[in-house]
Amino acid sequence: MKTIYAVYGDPVGHSLSPVMHNAAYAKLGMDCEYHKFRVIQSNLGDAIMGAKAMGFGGLNLTIPLKETALDFIDPDPLCEAIGAVNTIEFRHDTVIGHNTDGIGAMNALTLEGCVIPNSHILILGAGGAARAVAFQLAKHKAYVTIANRTVERAITLARNVSRVGKACACGLEDITRQVAESDILINTTSVGMYPDINNTLVTADMMHKGQVVFDLVYSPLETMFLQEGNKANAITIDGIRMLTLQGAESFRIWTGITPPVDVMEQAVRDVLNKQ
Ligand code: NAP
């Protein structure tokens, strides 16, 4: 019988998860289907237990459900530290929560040849995505600096991340020196995301050749942050790579199979290129 997987969110219409997972099932000849469902926060507990009762293979969660889900699942240690769930695994009598965003970001960097231990990484932003990325990279022995518009949020995040590794915080007004001294720059803010496409927190004159410039934003595909990175002869990575790799990690958790990441990524790029 077909195994069903799904992403829950509100809104969820924009989600590209069905495209990438269904492309992987087709390539591997798996009898599975991935769907998206609009689930409001107050129904999340019922929706998770309903999926379990109906034998779903697993779930992804997107905005605004990632934090609320902690009330209904047993988080793994990384998910608990991050305080947000994006992947739910059904195991006999337990429902386990994972967060694969940080792993997706780290794998996007290592695929580009980055060595994470001892690298100096500047994370712009201190929201949900920043939390996942900061914990993952600090845990793997990077020196992480978190710069945020609301500096108090950066300080709180750095303090929490310091439990697993090296992290410090600053405001956005202090980033010129931090940018210059970083091996890797990661934009986890929504600055530059459609329709705010003519904006970036860092410009080419602040970046340098060979630096890695990674944007989590993938709408548009080439953000102004990445355009500035190209002008500075930096190595640029767009948000689709992370999107695909966090999805690939969910796939692996649910099935134990390493999926064809290139097929998943191409399926997503094909859809975005048509938009
Ligand atoms: P979030 O929790 O709402 O955090 C937003 C962050 O952006 C905060 O740090 C906020 O700073 C900052 N920010 C917003 N507007 C700003 C501005 N005008 N100037 C400076 N900073 C600003 O959002 P999120 O869930 O972390 O998502 C952030 C972005 O990452 C989104 O574009 C999302 O699509 C993308 N994302 C991509 C992937 C992927 O797989 N590629 C995965 C997750 C997220 P304050 O704290 O000062 O408000």
Side-chain angles (χ1 to χ4, degrees):
M1 204 172 68
K2 212 176 266 307
T3 306
I4 304 296
Y5 296 85
V7 56
Y8 291 170
D10 179 24
V12 75
H14 66 283
S15 175
L16 294 164
S17 294
V19 168
M20 66 176 158
H21 285 279
N22 286 326
Y25 304 145
K27 178 74 181 176
L28 296 173
M30 293 169 72
D31 192 15
C32 303
E33 263 176 30
Y34 190 111
H35 295 273
K36 50 188 166 193
F37 294 103
R38 179 172 171 256
V39 173
I40 59 171
Q41 296 223 29
S42 55
N43 286 339
L44 181 60
D46 289 343
I48 291 172
M49 294 325 288
K52 183 173 190 298
M54 289 188 290
F56 278 31
L59 295 172
N60 284 131
L61 302 178
T62 185
I63 46 162
L65 307 175
K66 290 181 176 185
E67 282 90 9
T68 317
L70 287 165
D71 294 341
F72 308 108
I73 53 92
D74 291 320
D76 74 11
L78 182 63
C79 175
E80 187 168 29
I82 295 167
V85 185
N86 81 337
T87 301
I88 291 180
E89 178 191 7
F90 298 120
R91 238 194 250 170
H92 306 295
D93 50 351
T94 53
V95 180
I96 300 170
H98 304 268
N99 191 313
T100 65
D101 279 339
I103 299 166
M106 190 174 78
N107 289 347
L109 290 167
T110 50
L111 259 183
E112 213 51 56
C114 297
V115 177
I116 304 302
N118 297 319
S119 62
H120 289 261
I121 302 183
L122 178 62
I123 296 178
L124 303 164
R131 282 208 305 272
V133 173
F135 268 101
Q136 184 73 26
L137 296 173
K139 214 178 101 190
H140 285 80
K141 302 197 183 326
Y143 293 93
V144 171
T145 302
I146 298 152
N148 197 44
R149 176 177 62 180
T150 311
V151 71
E152 295 77 18
R153 285 186 88 189
I155 293 168
T156 304
L157 178 55
R159 196 176 295 136
N160 290 335
V161 170
S162 296
R163 289 189 212 126
V164 298
K166 299 260 188 287
C168 61
C170 65
L172 289 180
E173 54 292 344
D174 301 328
I175 58 173
T176 306
R177 187 174 59 84
Q178 305 288 353
V179 170
E181 291 176 357
S182 296
D183 307 306
I184 299 170
L185 308 177
I186 308 179
N187 177 45
T188 74
T189 74
S190 45
V191 175
M193 187 169 82
Y194 183 83
D196 178 36
I197 58 170
N198 292 317
N199 244 325
T200 176
L201 295 176
V202 183
T203 47
D205 53 311
M206 300 161 77
M207 300 168 175
H208 57 262
K209 188 177 172 192
Q211 198 168 33
V212 173
V213 173
F214 176 19
D215 204 338
L216 265 56
V217 173
Y218 53 81
S219 170
L221 268 180
E222 193 180 46
T223 59
M224 181 160 265
F225 182 61
L226 295 183
Q227 288 171 26
E228 294 294 303
N230 284 326
K231 274 191 221 162
N233 287 318
I235 299 158
T236 57
I237 307 174
D238 69 32
I240 292 302
R241 185 52 66 77
M242 166 173 166
L243 182 77
T244 313
L245 291 168
Q246 62 78 29
E249 184 60 18
S250 300
F251 191 110
R252 202 191 53 72
I253 288 169
W254 296 326
T255 64
I257 297 168
T258 300
V261 174
D262 51 340
V263 171
M264 295 169 82
E265 183 170 329
Q266 195 54 51
V268 171
R269 288 192 190 278
D270 288 347
V271 169
L272 288 175
N273 284 333
K274 278 190 212 135
Q275 285 176 356

